[in-house]
Amino acid sequence: MKSKFQISEGRPGQLGATFDGDGVNFAVFSENATRMVLCLFDAESGEEFDQFDLPERDGDVWYGYISGLRPGQHYGLRAHGPFDPENGHRFNPAKLLMDPYAKRLTGHPVWNEALMGYTVGHKQLDLSLDPRDSAPYMPRSVVEDPAFSWGLDTPPRTPIHQSVIYEAHVKGLTALRKDVNDPGTFLAMSSDPMLEYLTDLGVTAVELLPAQAFLTDHFLHEKGLTNYWGYQTFGFFAPEPRYMANGQINEFQQMVARFHSAGLEVIMDVVYNHTCEGNEMGPTLSFRGLDNASYYRLEENKRHYTNDTGTGNTMNVDNPMVLRMIMDSLRYWVKVMHVDGFRFDLCSTLGRVNEGGFDRGAAFFDAIRQDPVLSRVKLIAEPWDIGPGGYQLGAFPPPFMEWNDKYRDTVRRFWRGDEGEAPALADRLTGSAMQFDHSGRPATASVNLLTAHDGFVLEDVVSYNEKHNEENGEDGKDGHGENYSDNLGVEGPTDKKAILEERAQRKRNMMATLMLSQGTPMLLAGDEAGNSQSGNNNAYSQDNEISWIDWESFDPEFHAFTRLLIRFRKDHPVLRQKMFLHARERAVDGREDLFWWRPDGEEMRDEDWTDPGLNCIAMELRMASGTPFYAETESAIFIVFNAGEAVETKLPEPTEGLDWVWRIDTTRPDMTEEHSRGTIEMPANAVAVFTLDDENR
């Protein structure tokens, strides 16, 4: 097919393929290439019908303009340059490359040896050069005009202290729903039944597992498995093709618009710390072929990759053009796709400077903090990786929030009955001040979680002592070894009523702890419905019923209790304060905001906290001094966390004219409120919550 197009001088300012109404401008970064070729493909036949050298170079940006080209045009790139792996260069023009700024992809690579830049099986391994054309096995980049009629779309901008986050997988949430069209897609996620379900539950934001285009690793493909979670990003601007029912990016935009109309925010889990190309033995799909030495951190022997992520490679955020790509991607998802925030996978990697340790003043953090767009959205860090100084819980600069794994582990251990956990639980209940109370950070910086996609789901935390990952094909060696779980007598499913009741009680205790803690709560989708993964705590490769939420086994009682807790938290601002609470330390106006009580009504002493057998703690919370949303009608909440036997517990003396009202008892999930004074019988292994109310109400 003869091309009717001609290429001319373009503009270097906007990278990627940009449609301006008359044609398309192409611009791509490569510092070390010697020639950059644009390849055009026929959308129907898939045949390459023309090639154009990008004629202009401004610094390290190659660019050109083709008049008359329209959205929907398929294209790819081929980069010429040195093939010199020992010095970090792996150019191979036989390999068709994805545009890093592509806004849509036609699909995924088809695994074939031609995708490798080197000859598989060659005695020189990755030092050899493979001449085969990879185009037959590569998806195409697609020119897109991302304009969308947003109408009156308004982001909810829910304040962080009012947020309840719901971590969900696009496919897993809806794959087994019988009341939605196109299950497993963006459209299904935002269908009427799902919006009704989420708003009724009371969550305020849905945190999507990776929804940018991603790859299924070759070793998984060989096993007949899939990269289900999506932490192998292929395109930082393109939505995942598997989640689009009709292959159009406006399906993602429609999802966001519908979420916003329901008052729900959309937070994206993003993976900028590495790419899907792996180490030197991985495929050449985009970044490696465009400029390996610029996009990746390399070892002293530049043939090899720095692997702070455990995935084979690490993105070189020190390079200003790589940092620019990340920033451009983030701004694109906010400004063009209207998302409300991001959760950054292995965020410690992005703060590692010059291949050294973590620096909270790294360029990545500074760039976001000064950005007028990105500094205003929700930013959540996964505060660890496997590199030097990789575990950085509490070290990130504001306005970042952080996943708090110490919260998860402490809550699990306390309710499992481990000795010595009560002091740690007290710290977690009050926002993990030891980690977060510095640099002006609010208590909401701690994202509190019981579970997440990685690890046991809540049902399995109370049903399994051991992980059961055999289906992953790694001989059960993968996944966390320390889960702090407890099967309560039987490994896995059981029909023993007593064990089932004890498991249900343990789940209510843990969910109540989550919703009664200072900080920002996050639920894993399906936990509220009693979903199980049959003991698999690393279901990253299970795109099947193991990972999909089983709505047929829905637990209505636990769902109702979770819903009640979320509403209780919403109705009682004392539970979601931004300022840290410290007993007897904040007395600007003469009011104290935190008390710790013993069951006998005496205040906790140092020797009480050091008792390894301490398993019952009670706290009285008041609004912090100067809190703008302080309500005089709610002066205090009294909460008892008892992981031991039943014990008589004395309530604090109520304020004159007020009375304690017993609102929540995890042993009685459907209880009605009870006015209480003096001493109550605190049930064993339970959480009880009391509020102050008018004694004559």
Side-chain angles (χ1 to χ4, degrees):
M1 183 183 296
K2 177 63 178 176
S3 172
K4 61 181 180 180
F5 301 112
Q6 300 293 322
I7 194 163
S8 61
E9 181 181 355
R11 301 175 301 278
Q14 190 168 358
L15 296 174
T18 305
F19 175 65
D20 63 3
D22 295 319
V24 179
N25 188 82
F26 294 91
V28 60
F29 158 72
S30 180
E31 178 182 350
N32 294 295
T34 58
R35 176 186 172 198
M36 190 66 62
V37 179
L38 171 69
C39 307
L40 301 182
F41 293 83
D42 181 73
E44 293 185 5
S45 68
E47 296 298 318
E48 183 176 349
F49 66 83
D50 216 334
Q51 290 188 352
F52 300 93
D53 279 25
L54 293 182
E56 299 290 331
R57 180 174 181 175
D58 187 340
D60 299 323
V61 176
W62 304 73
Y63 58 99
Y65 182 85
I66 300 181
S67 182
L69 213 59
R70 312 295 297 176
Q73 176 62 56
H74 293 194
Y75 71 100
L77 299 165
R78 297 181 189 272
H80 293 252
F83 184 81
D84 184 8
E86 298 284 8
N87 288 300
H89 303 304
R90 295 181 178 272
F91 292 96
N92 187 339
K95 309 306 169 184
L96 185 72
L97 306 174
M98 181 206 71
D99 177 5
Y101 279 69
K103 299 178 179 68
R104 177 159 71 93
L105 300 175
T106 58
H108 304 87
V110 176
W111 278 109
N112 186 278
E113 290 183 356
L115 296 175
M116 306 299 179
Y118 62 93
T119 302
V120 175
H122 194 281
K123 63 181 180 179
Q124 289 185 298
L125 300 176
D126 63 298
L127 298 179
S128 60
L129 180 67
D130 186 274
R132 288 173 291 181
D133 184 7
S134 67
Y137 311 102
M138 280 290 291
R140 314 301 188 221
S141 303
V142 183
V143 175
E144 281 285 345
D145 179 0
F148 182 76
S149 180
W150 288 100
L152 299 177
D153 178 67
T154 303
R157 295 191 176 90
T158 305
I160 294 173
H161 68 272
Q162 296 178 11
S163 296
V164 179
I165 300 172
Y166 189 78
E167 189 197 28
H169 188 282
V170 173
K171 184 173 183 179
L173 186 66
T174 62
L176 296 179
R177 295 282 301 207
K178 297 180 179 179
D179 56 350
V180 302
N181 295 323
D182 303 309
T185 65
F186 297 126
L187 296 181
M189 276 207 78
S190 58
S191 62
D192 286 343
M194 293 312 305
L195 292 180
E196 291 168 6
Y197 177 83
L198 294 169
T199 53
D200 177 71
L201 181 60
V203 298
T204 66
V206 176
E207 182 178 304
L208 304 178
L209 266 72
Q212 296 172 340
F214 59 85
L215 181 76
T216 288
D217 315 69
H218 185 258
F219 80 94
L220 290 176
H221 171 75
E222 291 291 290
K223 295 178 180 179
L225 298 173
T226 302
N227 184 339
Y228 173 69
W229 287 349
Y231 291 94
Q232 287 285 39
T233 306
F234 184 41
F236 294 122
F237 294 77
E240 167 53 39
R242 279 171 278 210
Y243 300 156
M244 296 188 290
N246 304 305
Q248 301 301 314
I249 66 172
N250 62 21
E251 297 176 45
F252 186 96
Q253 294 165 310
Q254 290 178 49
M255 176 191 71
V256 173
R258 285 182 57 79
F259 269 101
H260 286 177
S261 69
L264 295 166
E265 295 183 304
V266 178
I267 298 172
M268 292 183 67
D269 193 334
V270 288
V271 187
Y272 296 112
N273 57 80
H274 73 279
T275 79
C276 66
E277 291 183 309
N279 62 15
E280 59 270 15
M281 305 307 294
T284 296
L285 307 174
S286 179
F287 314 95
R288 173 173 287 133
L290 287 171
D291 194 347
N292 185 67
S294 293
Y295 278 103
Y296 293 116
R297 291 189 187 274
L298 304 177
E299 297 289 89
E300 185 174 352
N301 179 347
K302 296 184 182 298
R303 174 185 175 185
H304 303 296
Y305 295 75
T306 300
N307 186 23
D308 291 341
T309 64
T311 62
N313 66 55
T314 303
M315 291 214 80
N316 183 18
V317 187
D318 288 336
N319 186 294
M321 293 301 287
V322 177
L323 178 59
R324 174 183 168 181
M325 178 186 70
I326 294 173
M327 297 295 291
D328 285 348
S329 171
L330 292 169
R331 279 189 290 264
Y332 175 80
W333 289 101
V334 174
K335 297 180 69 174
V336 178
M337 309 301 263
H338 283 208
V339 304
D340 305 283
F342 303 95
R343 179 265 189 189
F344 295 90
D345 178 66
L346 301 183
C347 197
S348 295
T349 301
L350 301 175
R352 188 165 284 110
V353 179
N354 296 322
E355 303 182 12
F358 177 86
D359 182 356
R360 68 197 306 267
F364 169 75
F365 299 130
D366 287 348
I368 284 184
R369 296 174 72 189
Q370 63 78 41
D371 190 281
V373 174
L374 300 179
S375 62
R376 298 177 184 178
V377 302
K378 290 182 171 63
L379 304 168
I380 304 172
E382 182 183 39
W384 51 75
D385 66 9
I386 65 169
Y391 187 79
Q392 291 292 331
L393 179 67
F396 288 74
F400 278 84
M401 299 181 283
E402 301 175 37
W403 272 24
N404 190 343
D405 62 321
K406 289 187 181 295
Y407 181 95
R408 174 198 66 200
D409 295 346
T410 297
V411 173
R412 291 188 186 187
R413 289 193 295 254
F414 178 81
W415 288 114
R416 191 173 66 171
D418 293 13
E419 286 193 346
E421 290 297 322
L425 181 69
D427 183 47
R428 305 303 161 208
L429 292 170
T430 52
S432 297
M434 184 179 298
Q435 277 75 35
F436 295 101
D437 190 9
H438 62 83
S439 307
R441 303 185 75 183
T444 49
S446 173
V447 177
N448 300 331
L449 62 150
L450 303 172
T451 60
H453 66 274
D454 187 3
F456 275 150
V457 299
L458 186 58
E459 186 68 32
D460 293 354
V461 170
V462 300
S463 302
Y464 294 90
N465 285 347
E466 306 294 335
K467 60 185 178 181
H468 296 269
N469 297 355
E470 292 76 18
E471 296 293 331
N472 296 351
E474 299 182 42
D475 298 323
K477 297 177 182 178
D478 61 306
H480 296 302
E482 290 292 336
N483 297 287
Y484 308 112
S485 60
D486 181 7
N487 66 23
L488 294 166
V490 173
E491 186 75 354
T494 181
D495 57 4
K496 294 183 178 180
K497 184 178 180 181
I499 292 178
L500 292 175
E501 290 177 350
E502 195 172 359
R503 289 176 176 178
Q505 174 68 19
R506 180 74 58 83
K507 288 197 303 176
R508 289 194 294 270
N509 289 341
M510 295 175 71
M511 189 63 75
T513 304
L514 177 67
M515 290 302 161
L516 297 169
S517 297
Q518 304 294 315
T520 304
M522 185 187 86
L523 288 76
L524 174 64
D527 275 357
E528 78 287 355
N531 187 63
S532 172
Q533 290 184 169
S534 301
N536 192 319
N537 76 344
N538 189 35
Y540 76 104
S541 59
Q542 301 301 321
D543 187 6
N544 51 47
E545 287 81 358
I546 291 176
S547 293
W548 303 340
I549 295 177
D550 180 8
W551 296 104
E552 292 292 321
S553 299
F554 187 84
D555 182 345
E557 289 78 16
F558 189 57
H559 173 268
F561 187 68
T562 303
R563 180 178 178 273
L564 178 151
L565 289 168
I566 294 174
R567 274 158 176 71
F568 186 85
R569 181 181 180 86
K570 179 180 179 181
D571 292 341
H572 296 83
V574 70
L575 296 172
R576 43 185 176 80
Q577 301 183 61
K578 292 182 287 186
M579 297 181 70
F580 283 94
L581 307 180
H582 297 285
R584 300 190 179 280
E585 291 182 6
R586 186 174 287 114
V588 175
D589 60 358
R591 295 180 66 248
E592 299 164 8
D593 52 37
L594 175 63
F595 300 86
W596 295 105
W597 299 103
R598 301 189 323 192
D600 63 5
E602 297 294 322
E603 286 196 63
M604 291 284 288
R605 300 185 294 262
D606 289 344
E607 56 266 32
D608 297 320
W609 288 114
T610 57
D611 178 5
L614 178 66
N615 54 21
C616 181
I617 57 175
M619 67 177 185
E620 182 183 352
L621 298 172
R622 296 179 180 178
M623 297 303 293
S625 303
T627 302
F629 50 85
Y630 171 67
E632 290 294 339
T633 56
E634 180 185 64
S635 55
I637 284 184
F638 181 68
I639 311 173
V640 185
F641 300 88
N642 181 25
E645 298 298 321
V647 60
E648 289 191 348
T649 301
K650 186 176 181 181
L651 301 176
E653 284 297 318
T655 306
E656 184 177 352
L658 299 178
D659 205 0
W660 288 113
V661 180
W662 197 336
R663 301 280 191 179
I664 295 173
D665 178 351
T666 56
T667 67
R668 298 178 292 163
D670 55 353
M671 75 170 291
T672 56
E673 61 187 48
E674 302 174 0
H675 281 256
S676 304
R677 277 181 178 269
T679 300
I680 58 102
E681 181 75 9
M682 178 64 202
N685 297 305
V687 177
V689 185
F690 304 80
T691 63
L692 278 178
D693 210 337
D694 188 327
E695 61 184 351
N696 298 314
R697 188 175 69 86

